């Protein structure tokens, strides 16, 4: 059994059983991968992948268990390398962050600016996506950190640490009826539900705060447009496509002075942004520093405690008495 074989079966699984795509991503040949997978299966005496002719069709039950263990082994190998680099090149390396557009555009610029100034020899890479994509990148090891808010069920395999709370605003053009109504009284769910809505991708799925609020009020939101970018959503609000429901921190008082932002925290409450990493990951010193720069209460000692815990419930209990900042 070779580490290369374990890497091949993991990557074949990551590439949806497409051996050709796997070979391309690993800069090797398709026959070479197929041969090594067969050799591993012969050695173990079981099939990892089901087949129809030359094509892989599914992962067997035993194969899934082997792939899961292989993922852990390969992660440990990367941790061994990280330990070595920490002692030989403590201020050098790479940091890959997977997050949403809102976090990348409005929450991270100052943090990243300070980090790059302090660690000029660490190459930093930002990957933007939906909660599902962010989770997948972190679980596969393509990203060191996942920074996200909703759809936390995607992150069961990660250690997720609370960073800060943020509120939502309804965003409309100045002549919109909701802008006029907000000057008279606080908006209600029924007021917002009367108009087409534009909001974030997955904003009303998986029992989000928004979906719960509308359901409890007996309303069915008419979502006509979704996007991952707050800037794109504001563009379509300006075009009159619908009422925007956005993170309040995505409203720029100067750049968005042509829009009216109405605070609706009394309707939806606040959301919590978290930063996460794979369990068992060896965190470099500059990784601890990045986390603390992003969320000052997340000290190295506290992060290490959380990383040693078995599940999300224990992590949540660790932070129950810590008051998070509001953005």
């Amino acid at each position: 059994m070779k580490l290369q074989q374990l890497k091949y079966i993991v990557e074949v699984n990551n590439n949806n059983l497409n051996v050709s795509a796997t070979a391309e991503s690993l800069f090797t040949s398709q026959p070479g991968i197929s041969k090594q997978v067969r050799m591993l299966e012969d050695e173990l005496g079981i099939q990892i992948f089901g087949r129809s002719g030359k094509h892989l069709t599914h992962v067997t039950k035993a194969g899934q268990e082997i792939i899961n263990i292989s993922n852990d082994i390969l992660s440990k190998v990367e941790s061994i390398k990280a330990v070595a680099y920490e002692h030989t090149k403590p201020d050098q390396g790479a940091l890959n962050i997977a997050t949403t557009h809102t976090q990348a555009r409005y929450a991270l610029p100052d943090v990243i600016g300070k980090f790059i100034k302090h660690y000029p020899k660490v190459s930093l890479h930002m990957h933007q996506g939906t909660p599902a994509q962010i989770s997948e990148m972190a679980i596969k090891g393509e990203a060191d950190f996942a920074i996200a808010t909703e759809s936390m069920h995607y992150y069961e395999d990660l250690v997720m640490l609370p960073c800060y709370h943020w509120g939502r605003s309804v965003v409309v053009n100045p002549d919109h009826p909701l802008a006029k109504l907000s000057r008279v009284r606080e908006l209600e769910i029924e007021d917002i539900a009367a108009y087409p809505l534009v909001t974030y991708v997955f904003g009303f799925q998986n029992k989000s705060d928004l979906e719960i609020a509308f359901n409890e009020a007996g309303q069915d939101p008419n979502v006509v447009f979704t996007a991952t970018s707050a800037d794109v959503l504001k563009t379509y609000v300006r075009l009159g496509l619908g009422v925007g429901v956005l993170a309040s921190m995505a409203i720029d008082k100067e750049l968005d002075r042509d829009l009216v932002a109405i605070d609706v925290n009394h309707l939806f409450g606040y959301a919590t942004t978290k930063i996460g990493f794979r369990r068992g990951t060896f965190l470099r010193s500059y990784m601890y520093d990045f986390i603390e720069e992003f969320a000052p209460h997340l000290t190295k000692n506290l992060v290490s405690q959380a990383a040693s815990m078995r599940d999300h419930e224990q992590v949540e209990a660790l932070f129950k008495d810590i008051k998070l900042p509001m953005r």
Side-chain angles (χ1 to χ4, degrees):
M1 189 183 304
K2 303 174 182 176
L3 284 175
Q4 182 187 53
Q5 294 172 330
L6 303 184
K7 184 174 183 179
Y8 283 171
I9 63 172
V10 166
E11 288 304 314
V12 167
N13 184 59
N14 288 344
N15 282 280
N16 299 313
L17 310 188
N18 187 323
V19 180
S20 178
T22 303
E24 185 176 341
S25 68
L26 295 176
F27 303 101
T28 188
S29 68
Q30 182 176 339
I33 290 178
S34 297
K35 179 181 178 181
Q36 290 299 322
V37 170
R38 281 290 195 186
M39 288 175 64
L40 179 59
E41 289 178 323
D42 290 343
E43 179 181 348
L44 297 175
I46 55 97
Q47 275 195 322
I48 296 172
F49 302 106
R51 294 170 173 79
S52 176
K54 294 183 178 180
H55 299 286
L56 304 183
T57 58
H58 65 280
V59 179
T60 66
K61 183 177 179 180
Q64 189 59 63
E65 293 181 23
I66 291 169
I67 288 172
N68 291 343
I69 295 172
S70 297
N71 258 317
D72 292 338
I73 292 172
L74 294 173
S75 177
K76 294 297 184 184
V77 170
E78 290 303 312
S79 292
I80 291 172
K81 294 178 182 178
V83 171
Y85 292 144
E86 182 68 10
H87 287 275
T88 58
K89 301 176 181 178
D91 62 342
Q92 298 181 40
L95 183 60
N96 288 273
I97 300 168
T99 190
T100 62
H101 170 271
T102 297
Q103 301 294 331
R105 170 70 175 81
Y106 298 100
L108 284 167
D110 288 344
V111 175
I112 288 176
K114 292 177 182 177
F115 179 84
I116 291 176
K117 184 177 181 180
H118 191 67
Y119 290 102
K121 294 182 180 180
V122 174
S123 58
L124 196 151
H125 309 277
M126 183 83 72
H127 310 274
Q128 295 180 40
T130 64
Q133 293 167 337
I134 293 167
S135 168
E136 185 176 12
M137 282 185 277
I139 291 171
K140 288 182 179 179
E142 296 170 0
D144 300 298
F145 294 142
I147 300 176
T149 302
E150 292 191 69
S151 305
M152 295 311 295
H153 68 284
Y154 286 122
Y155 305 94
E156 288 298 324
D157 296 327
L158 305 178
V159 179
M160 298 300 294
L161 312 175
C163 300
Y164 61 86
H165 301 311
W166 55 267
R168 297 179 178 86
S169 291
V170 160
V171 181
V172 294
N173 288 308
D175 59 350
H176 194 279
L178 289 182
K180 300 174 183 176
L181 182 61
S182 67
R183 292 193 288 268
V184 178
R185 62 171 174 82
E186 286 189 331
L187 297 186
E188 300 294 339
I189 291 289
E190 292 79 4
D191 300 324
I192 302 170
Y195 299 94
L197 303 180
V198 299
T199 189
Y200 300 111
V201 173
F202 301 134
F204 290 93
Q205 296 182 18
N206 304 315
K207 296 298 180 184
S208 71
D209 294 337
L210 298 178
E211 183 186 28
I212 292 171
F214 276 98
N215 288 345
E216 288 181 347
Q219 299 295 318
D220 185 19
N222 178 24
V223 181
V224 296
F225 181 80
T226 63
T228 58
S229 165
D231 293 336
V232 169
L233 293 174
K234 286 184 286 186
T235 295
Y236 283 91
V237 169
R238 290 184 173 97
L239 291 174
L241 184 65
V243 171
V245 183
L246 315 177
S248 297
M249 64 180 172
I251 310 301
D252 188 299
K253 291 182 180 180
E254 288 300 317
L255 297 177
D256 300 321
R257 57 182 179 272
D258 60 323
L259 296 173
V260 175
I262 307 164
D263 188 295
V264 288
N265 280 340
H266 63 288
L267 297 179
F268 304 122
Y270 59 77
T272 304
T273 289
K274 298 186 177 184
I275 185 168
F277 50 87
R278 286 190 299 174
R279 296 185 185 279
T281 298
F282 176 82
L283 297 178
R284 301 283 303 274
S285 295
Y286 61 76
M287 293 179 176
Y288 281 111
D289 287 349
F290 179 88
I291 293 174
E292 190 168 357
E293 185 65 47
F294 184 59
H297 63 279
L298 293 178
T299 61
K300 182 176 181 179
N301 180 56
L302 198 57
V303 172
S304 297
Q305 286 185 59
S308 68
M309 293 177 170
R310 294 190 304 273
D311 52 45
H312 287 314
E313 287 71 24
Q314 288 188 334
V315 174
E316 292 293 334
L318 179 65
F319 290 94
K320 67 181 178 64
D321 295 324
I322 294 178
K323 186 176 180 179
L324 301 180
M326 187 78 185
R327 294 190 182 183

